[in-house]
């Protein structure tokens, strides 16, 4: 064989040279798993709901009052050709809101047989929490709110997790007639 280097040996030398010259990779930070939801204020409490439970968020629409319904039923609104019942959720829970109308929002639930707009005090938008900050130990709550809170995420503040499915199964919520 001649004194020339075999092409494969040249490739090995080039690879070794590249490894020696390459900068190290940055240290990978630990990625924490997060839970995302829609944040809102209800009855003075910061709340959060799972993304999949809310189908739409609206400014408080014009609505027509309905006769012979409970006081927490605001009325019915025409939203893109569908009649949307508007429920004042704070009033239903026994703590009427004093929040100005332009600050309030309607969370629309559209699942199975339930199509309803729930009026809340304020919207915080999308919220992200580390899964590790979940707790089932929640602070003292009003009795009316307790059946609908399934836990909380802690951090700068405690955000209670509101379960709209539990609300949709609640007979007091479903019974709107006087």
């Amino acid at each position: 064989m001649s004194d020339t280097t075999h092409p494969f040996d040249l490739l090995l030398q080039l690879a070794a040279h590249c490894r020696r010259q390459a900068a190290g990779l940055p240290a990978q930070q630990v990625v924490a798993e997060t839970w995302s939801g829609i944040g809102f204020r209800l009855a003075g409490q910061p709340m959060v709901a799972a993304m999949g439970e809310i189908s739409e968020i609206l400014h408080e629409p014009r609505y027509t009052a309905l006769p012979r319904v409970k006081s927490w039923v605001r009325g019915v609104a025409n939203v893109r050709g569908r009649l949307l019942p508007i429920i004042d959720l704070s009033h239903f829970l026994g703590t009427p809101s004093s929040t100005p109308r332009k600050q309030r929002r309607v969370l629309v639930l559209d699942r199975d047989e339930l199509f309803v707009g729930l009026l809340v005090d304020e919207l915080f938008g999308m919220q992200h929490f580390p899964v590790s900050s979940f707790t089932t130990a929640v602070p003292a709550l009003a009795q009316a709110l307790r059946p609908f809170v399934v836990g909380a995420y802690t951090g700068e503040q405690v955000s209670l997790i509101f379960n709209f499915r539990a609300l949709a199964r609640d007979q007091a919520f479903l019974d709107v007639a006087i």
Side-chain angles (χ1 to χ4, degrees):
M1 239 163 100
S2 66
D3 290 332
T4 61
T5 308
H6 193 274
F8 186 73
D9 292 332
L10 287 173
L11 286 174
L12 289 175
Q13 290 172 6
L14 181 60
H17 177 72
C18 287
R19 276 192 219 102
R20 284 191 304 271
Q21 299 298 319
L25 294 173
Q28 184 173 359
Q29 297 176 357
V30 176
V31 178
E33 187 178 350
T34 60
W35 182 89
S36 298
I38 302 293
F40 58 97
R41 189 167 45 83
L42 177 65
Q45 293 279 341
M47 301 275 186
V48 66
M51 296 287 290
E53 291 189 356
I54 298 169
S55 62
E56 189 173 1
I57 298 168
L58 305 170
H59 288 276
E60 187 175 354
R62 292 182 189 265
Y63 53 82
T64 302
L66 297 171
R68 302 163 90 150
V69 293
K70 296 190 177 161
S71 60
W72 41 268
V73 178
R74 293 292 187 145
V76 64
N78 183 341
V79 177
R80 288 181 293 290
R82 289 180 76 184
L83 293 179
L84 177 68
I86 305 294
I87 306 295
D88 186 333
L89 197 50
S90 291
H91 195 103
F92 170 74
L93 296 170
T95 56
S97 176
S98 60
T99 305
R101 180 183 171 134
K102 65 180 174 178
Q103 195 172 339
R104 300 186 83 188
R105 294 293 181 266
V106 174
L107 305 179
V108 178
L109 307 181
D110 188 4
R111 124 170 285 167
D112 302 324
E113 307 252 335
L114 185 68
F115 180 64
V116 65
L118 303 171
L119 198 55
V120 297
D121 298 338
E122 184 178 7
L123 186 71
F124 301 137
M126 189 181 279
Q127 306 281 300
H128 306 283
F129 302 94
V131 171
S132 61
S133 70
F134 174 78
T135 180
T136 55
V138 295
L141 295 173
Q143 183 64 32
L145 192 56
R146 207 169 287 144
F148 311 114
V149 173
V150 294
Y153 283 101
T154 57
E156 294 174 15
Q157 68 180 6
V158 175
S159 293
L160 303 173
I161 303 168
F162 195 91
N163 185 343
F164 287 113
R165 289 187 179 112
L167 179 70
R169 290 187 305 266
D170 186 69
Q171 195 56 45
F173 178 75
L174 297 173
D175 186 18
V176 298
I178 295 179

